[in-house]
Amino acid sequence: MTLNQIRAFVAVAHDGGFTAAARTLGMSHSTLNSQIQMMEREYGAELFHRRGRRVELSALGLEMLPLARRMIALEGDMSSLLDDSGKLRHGSLKVGAVGPYHVTEMIEAYHAVHPRIKISVTLGNSEVVLDALDRYVSDVGVVASRFPDERYHMQLYARYPVIAFVHVGHPFAKREAIALRELSGQPLLMREPGSTTRKALEDALARQGVTVQVAMEIGSREALREAVARGLGIGTVSESEYVPDPRLRPVRIEGDVISTHIHVCCLRERRDSRLIASFFEAIADRTAPALAAA
């Protein structure tokens, strides 16, 4: 098995076909196909189910994919270490994040130091971000809580209170703040399971013995905001991620009893990767105040 064969396998799995993967790798369709076939013949294994022009990963292929991605990531780490004496003059860094706000300012800080490194960002809730780290789909994650798992290196970036927001016609819209217990009896719009903001809210409600009425579960911040703007209920969001809207009013929760903690993370075994370490170094000045305040 060669690295070229592994790259070919990952490209076909990612692009969903041989033609698209060949374009990605800059090689002919026949060369790419032969790379896969050589690997399958060598081990007597079927990595893809071929259905005309469509291909799907076999059960074995699905099991192999995260290992293949890991090998490619490790090769990239070695290249970064050796190439240009580790000066990071080129390369790519994949970042997964729970939202655009914090990761955008992190990328700004990183780009100022390493302008030649290409950065790609994918968004999802914390569970999705951590899963991408586990599968080597992402190099760095930005999540809204600390997860007590030895697999990950976690570094605090910032802490923000969770606030409520309501339609301008709601009685709460005329107030600066409400007590957490006042959410009882109100139709509450919740994010999907796996959302850290939801988990923080549920934990705070449980601590104070407050029971709420969940009117709806909504899978994105944008959809939740629209539902609140249409008067369907009350939403909650990290203060840093609230988007002003003339149809809405933000309302603080007394005592800031709910908060989210933004952490930057990576797989612990990859913390010393030159490329990943460079990201933590680039945001260190912005992270230090948050660490001091926590």
Side-chain angles (χ1 to χ4, degrees):
M1 185 191 313
T2 67
L3 277 172
N4 284 337
Q5 290 172 340
I6 294 170
R7 289 192 196 95
F9 166 73
V10 171
V12 174
H14 181 269
D15 292 339
F18 285 82
T19 301
R23 284 197 298 267
T24 297
L25 295 177
M27 65 173 62
S28 69
H29 184 285
S30 61
T31 299
L32 178 67
N33 191 42
S34 68
Q35 294 277 10
I36 301 296
Q37 288 180 343
M38 287 170 60
M39 189 161 47
E40 289 180 321
R41 283 198 298 266
E42 180 179 358
Y43 295 98
E46 184 181 30
L47 300 176
F48 295 99
H49 299 308
R50 294 159 173 82
R51 296 180 171 88
R53 294 186 178 181
R54 290 178 55 248
V55 296
E56 296 177 358
L57 282 165
S58 67
L60 177 62
L62 284 168
E63 190 173 352
M64 178 176 158
L65 184 58
L67 297 175
R69 283 173 170 155
R70 181 176 181 179
M71 291 182 72
I72 292 174
L74 289 173
E75 184 208 13
D77 291 346
M78 286 190 289
S79 295
S80 295
L81 179 65
L82 296 171
D83 190 56
D84 296 327
S85 300
K87 293 180 181 178
L88 296 175
R89 291 180 179 173
H90 60 78
S92 61
L93 185 70
K94 301 180 289 295
V95 181
V98 294
Y101 178 80
H102 301 99
V103 73
T104 301
E105 63 184 24
M106 292 178 195
I107 290 172
E108 180 184 16
Y110 187 81
H111 184 70
V113 182
H114 303 290
R116 297 184 181 181
I117 301 297
K118 178 183 176 182
I119 298 182
S120 59
V121 179
T122 56
L123 302 179
N125 66 34
S126 293
E127 289 183 354
V128 171
V129 171
L130 294 178
D131 179 64
L133 291 180
D134 291 340
R135 295 185 293 111
Y136 279 69
V137 175
S138 294
D139 303 306
V140 176
V142 181
V143 295
S145 183
R146 184 180 187 280
F147 293 81
D149 191 318
E150 285 301 312
R151 289 177 298 170
Y152 309 114
H153 169 80
M154 293 266 176
Q155 182 170 304
L156 180 64
Y157 183 77
R159 175 190 177 278
Y160 293 98
V162 171
I163 63 171
F165 61 103
V166 298
H167 182 268
V168 290
H170 193 282
F172 288 172
K174 299 177 182 179
R175 298 171 55 181
E176 293 293 325
I178 60 171
L180 183 65
R181 64 179 180 276
E182 291 182 85
L183 292 178
S184 180
Q186 295 285 337
L188 203 59
L189 307 183
M190 286 277 210
R191 288 287 305 279
E192 77 286 358
S195 161
T196 306
T197 301
R198 173 174 177 161
K199 179 67 165 57
L201 174 61
E202 289 175 336
D203 288 348
L205 292 169
R207 285 194 300 270
Q208 295 196 17
V210 178
T211 301
V212 295
Q213 171 195 345
V214 179
M216 196 180 304
E217 288 186 355
I218 301 177
S220 74
R221 293 180 185 85
E222 294 75 16
L224 191 148
R225 187 172 66 245
E226 285 303 309
V228 175
R230 294 173 184 271
L232 299 181
I234 296 176
T236 56
V237 67
S238 172
E239 184 179 49
S240 65
E241 295 173 342
Y242 174 74
V243 179
D245 186 310
R247 302 169 296 172
L248 304 173
R249 290 292 181 272
V251 184
R252 296 191 71 86
I253 297 175
E254 291 175 358
D256 291 339
V257 293
I258 315 171
S259 61
T260 57
H261 297 74
I262 304 301
H263 285 80
V264 184
C265 60
C266 67
L267 287 175
R268 190 172 297 278
E269 66 193 50
R270 301 191 69 198
R271 176 62 180 86
D272 293 330
S273 157
R274 184 69 190 95
L275 190 62
I276 292 173
S278 71
F279 192 84
F280 284 89
E281 292 163 5
I283 65 171
D285 290 342
R286 298 176 184 236
T287 304
L291 286 167

